[in-house]
Amino acid sequence: MKSIPLLLLSLALVLSSIAPSAGMFDWLGLGKTATTDTSALTTALSSDEIAGGLKEALGKGVERAVATLGKQDGFLKDAAVMIPTPEPLQKVEKTLRALGQDKLVDDFVTTMNRAAEQAVPEAATVLGDSVKQMTLADAKTILTGTNNAATAYFKRTSETNLYQRFLPIVQKATAQTGVTGAYKAMAQKASFGGFSAMSVLGQNTPDIDGYVTRKTMDGLFVKIGDEEKRIRENPVARTSDLLQKVFGAVRPAQ
């Protein structure tokens, strides 16, 4: 029985060492509920703050993505988003490079990426529609979601409309940057057993405008996702009081 006081003393010492760092109530499971659930979020923030903070974050994500991509070499010199030769033409590319025709291939790749760089600034207006249709329930789910929850919402709600509205812009840009001419020059230069690359590819000849449009969208979402992750994880990236309050009130799900 003499060991009981020693046991109690040891327990007290353990608890006292834990309390300064974690808090005794937290350690025992009696602390505050984490604000990663929507009910706690609603208590901590008003509906206007939740919606406003998320819309501001999305707006900043789009603005930063457009500024990063919509300039000279925004796509071409960024390995994460650079638009490569379409897969059906990669055999053509390999043949031309083997024949010392690197410039033809490089010109084709460059013109595709130039088209994307010219087209991407128009995305800000298109993506604004997705932000406008966001509900409070959507906002709460996104704020308490993973680091790419907002980007996934963007893709889900805007991808189809973005493609339909983006394609004419890309078509105009590809014409201005000479993508079609570069494509034809590259495809006609390569031959397989006396047949041109275009005749060999037949129905597999890629739709360059559609391909560039999809790759432009992919690059845009990559950069929006990068900015979303940055705002969630780095308090310095929250450049307004509203962003600091809203994103400081949640702990993103892992």
Side-chain angles (χ1 to χ4, degrees):
M1 298 298 291
K2 291 182 179 180
S3 63
I4 292 178
L6 291 174
L7 178 63
L8 292 175
L9 177 60
S10 298
L11 180 60
L13 290 173
V14 170
L15 291 176
S16 65
S17 66
I18 293 173
S21 58
M24 187 182 299
F25 290 108
D26 291 337
W27 183 72
L28 294 174
L30 300 176
K32 295 180 179 179
T33 304
T35 56
T36 52
D37 62 89
T38 55
S39 59
L41 183 65
T42 303
T43 301
L45 302 167
S46 71
S47 297
D48 287 344
E49 287 172 333
I50 294 171
L54 188 56
K55 288 180 179 181
E56 182 178 340
L58 288 175
K60 286 184 176 296
V62 171
E63 181 181 357
R64 190 177 181 89
V66 168
T68 300
L69 297 175
K71 62 183 181 181
Q72 181 93 351
D73 293 333
F75 274 86
L76 187 62
K77 299 299 184 181
D78 188 335
V81 297
M82 192 272 287
I83 302 175
T85 301
E87 187 175 353
L89 290 177
Q90 287 176 5
K91 185 176 180 180
V92 177
E93 175 181 358
K94 185 177 180 181
T95 299
L96 286 172
R97 291 195 184 279
L99 295 172
Q101 299 292 328
D102 296 81
K103 187 176 186 305
L104 278 173
V105 179
D106 292 341
D107 285 348
F108 175 55
V109 172
T110 297
T111 53
M112 285 193 300
N113 283 272
R114 290 287 181 258
E117 291 159 8
Q118 288 185 25
V120 77
E122 300 296 328
T125 301
V126 177
L127 292 175
D129 293 340
S130 181
V131 176
K132 291 176 183 177
Q133 70 185 39
M134 183 184 297
T135 66
L136 179 60
D138 289 330
K140 291 178 181 178
T141 300
I142 292 168
L143 279 175
T144 57
T146 58
N147 278 346
N148 67 344
T151 306
Y153 168 83
F154 248 155
K155 293 183 71 172
R156 185 176 69 253
T157 59
S158 68
E159 201 162 28
T160 299
N161 289 337
L162 183 60
Y163 183 90
Q164 292 173 346
R165 295 174 62 179
F166 214 40
L167 181 59
I169 301 168
V170 170
Q171 289 172 327
K172 181 179 179 180
T174 56
Q176 290 175 340
T177 56
V179 169
T180 302
Y183 167 49
K184 288 181 178 179
M186 185 184 77
Q188 289 172 351
K189 189 72 175 179
S191 62
F192 304 90
F195 295 94
S196 71
M198 294 179 73
S199 63
V200 172
L201 288 168
Q203 292 183 346
N204 291 323
T205 302
D207 170 12
I208 299 300
D209 288 334
Y211 173 73
V212 173
T213 298
R214 289 188 294 272
K215 287 297 185 179
T216 303
M217 290 165 54
D218 290 346
L220 185 66
F221 288 130
V222 165
K223 294 305 180 184
I224 291 173
D226 288 347
E227 180 64 8
E228 177 185 359
K229 188 172 185 291
R230 198 173 74 93
I231 289 175
R232 286 183 185 272
E233 294 183 348
N234 184 4
V236 176
R238 303 165 192 166
T239 55
S240 73
D241 291 341
L242 182 57
L243 285 178
Q244 290 173 10
K245 182 173 184 179
V246 170
F247 285 93
V250 295
R251 184 177 66 244
Q254 302 299 320

